[in-house]
Amino acid sequence: MRLAGSAPILPSLIWPSSTLDLSATERWYRRHPALLRVTHWINVVCFTLLLMSGLQIFDAHPALYVGDISDFDHPTVSVVARQTENGLVGETTILGHSFDTTGVLGLSNEDGQISQRGLPELDHHPELLGSRDRASLALLFAWLLVLNGLIYFAWGCASRHFGRDLLPTRVELGHIGREILEHLRLRFPRGEAARRYNVLQQLAYLAVVFALFPLMILTGLTMSPGIDSPRRIFSHFFGGRQTARLIHFIAASGLVLFVIVHLVLALVSGVWNNLRSMITGWYDLGNPRTTDVQ
């Protein structure tokens, strides 16, 4: 990123003495501005709670359809327990193709008991809130996510963050193959190269900011019973309420996949350095005179 700031004060009680062999202005880099960090952590809280709520909703009726109504006989995606000649099995169907998912989806073993449910039980603690309270809480965090996204979007436009930091150049796009190989080898940029997102990060963040999150929010509004007029408009746009639910599920799954990859890469590329930069803003470049990966 090119969001440079002034160098921090580096007292020896906070930073290791080995870091003082290079100029603080060269080694320590203000990677994440305060507003980006705040909106990031608000997103973490909101998305986690909404994901938990969404999994409970899907588990109540683990099937997805195309159109405006539920075609129970022809689901696009379904997770069921089915009786066969070999006994009860869990079965997941996607676009007419069925897969045996016994023990994971449709039919699972919980505390030694066979349970017929779409998703395995994710928790074993008693529910503290009723279904109506959970729905109200989910709606609250959904609107908080929308507001947080609008603030981030306005800041990104005003600060030219999107064009400067997330939009890859033609040269960077030409390095996609090399970046994939470097990531597979667990070699990550240090020094000057770490001041800017690599092309894989740029494309992933653009997909999240301008595709997955907007799709999840708009399709969520389409399914919301509390806003009648926008719901009809979005329902027509997405080709029906059930199609919107299917797209919502796909977008949420894409975000979950992004989060998993994001966390794994944050861990293997330097967990404390990455975590510190997202809390305090400061990132250790290592040797600022190198442009290689390590």
Side-chain angles (χ1 to χ4, degrees), residues 1-4 31-36 39 150-166 196:
M1 265 177 93
R2 298 173 182 168
L3 301 175
R31 196 176 199 189
H32 301 302
L35 190 138
L36 188 149
T39 54
L150 290 175
I151 292 173
Y152 169 75
F153 182 77
W155 169 81
C157 292
S159 66
R160 297 190 299 171
H161 167 64
F162 300 132
R164 182 184 62 237
D165 303 315
L166 299 188
R196 180 168 172 80

Side-chain angles (χ1 to χ4, degrees), residues 81 88 105-110 113-121:
L88 203 60
L105 301 174
L107 189 71
S108 55
N109 190 318
E110 298 170 4
Q113 300 293 322
I114 297 298
S115 176
Q116 300 182 42
R117 56 189 303 160
L119 303 174
E121 190 171 9

Side-chain angles (χ1 to χ4, degrees), residues 22-271:
L22 294 170
S23 169
T25 7
E26 293 180 318
R27 178 150 194 165
W28 294 96
Y29 177 62
R30 187 77 167 181
R31 196 176 199 189
H32 301 302
L35 190 138
L36 188 149
R37 303 196 307 272
V38 171
T39 54
H40 169 272
W41 291 114
I42 291 175
N43 274 343
V44 169
V45 174
C46 291
F47 181 67
T48 301
L49 292 173
L50 289 172
L51 178 63
M52 294 169 61
S53 174
L55 289 175
Q56 290 179 334
I57 293 171
F58 179 78
D59 195 35
H61 183 72
L64 300 167
Y65 313 91
V66 171
D68 201 42
I69 59 175
S70 302
D71 185 354
F72 298 111
D73 295 326
H74 303 93
T76 305
V77 177
S78 67
V79 181
V80 299
R82 191 179 302 281
Q83 187 69 44
T84 68
E85 58 183 15
N86 297 320
L88 203 60
V89 299
E91 184 179 87
T92 299
T93 301
I94 303 174
L95 297 174
H97 300 281
S98 298
F99 309 91
D100 187 335
T101 53
T102 304
V104 181
L105 301 174
L107 189 71
S108 55
N109 190 318
E110 298 170 4
D111 298 328
Q113 300 293 322
I114 297 298
S115 176
Q116 300 182 42
R117 56 189 303 160
L119 303 174
E121 190 171 9
L122 300 177
D123 56 64
H124 298 273
H125 57 75
E127 294 185 356
L128 301 178
L129 298 174
S131 58
R132 181 174 298 179
D133 294 327
R134 287 201 309 271
S136 299
L137 191 63
L139 187 61
L140 171 65
F141 280 100
W143 281 114
L144 179 58
L145 183 67
V146 171
L147 178 61
N148 191 58
L150 290 175
I151 292 173
Y152 169 75
F153 182 77
W155 169 81
C157 292
S159 66
R160 297 190 299 171
H161 167 64
F162 300 132
R164 182 184 62 237
D165 303 315
L166 299 188
L167 193 64
T169 65
R170 186 173 300 178
V171 173
E172 287 170 328
L173 288 173
H175 293 161
I176 289 180
R178 187 184 70 184
E179 289 290 347
I180 293 175
L181 288 176
E182 296 293 355
H183 277 68
L184 291 176
R185 295 170 182 167
L186 300 182
R187 301 181 65 206
F188 304 100
R190 297 293 283 164
E192 284 300 314
R195 288 179 178 266
R196 180 168 172 80
Y197 293 138
N198 64 64
V199 65
L200 297 182
Q201 289 176 301
Q202 291 171 324
L203 294 176
Y205 294 150
L206 285 174
V208 167
V209 172
F210 293 103
L212 295 179
F213 257 122
L215 275 177
M216 193 180 74
I217 291 171
L218 293 176
T219 52
L221 291 175
T222 305
M223 297 183 292
S224 176
I227 44 175
D228 193 46
S229 180
R231 184 180 62 177
R232 288 198 298 267
I233 295 173
F234 291 136
S235 179
H236 178 74
F237 176 78
F238 287 114
R241 188 170 183 271
Q242 293 302 323
T243 304
R245 184 168 180 257
L246 173 63
I247 296 172
H248 188 80
F249 181 85
I250 294 172
S253 299
L255 286 170
V256 169
L257 178 61
F258 165 80
V259 169
I260 292 173
V261 175
H262 181 68
L263 290 176
V264 169
L265 291 178
L267 287 171
V268 299
S269 64
V271 58

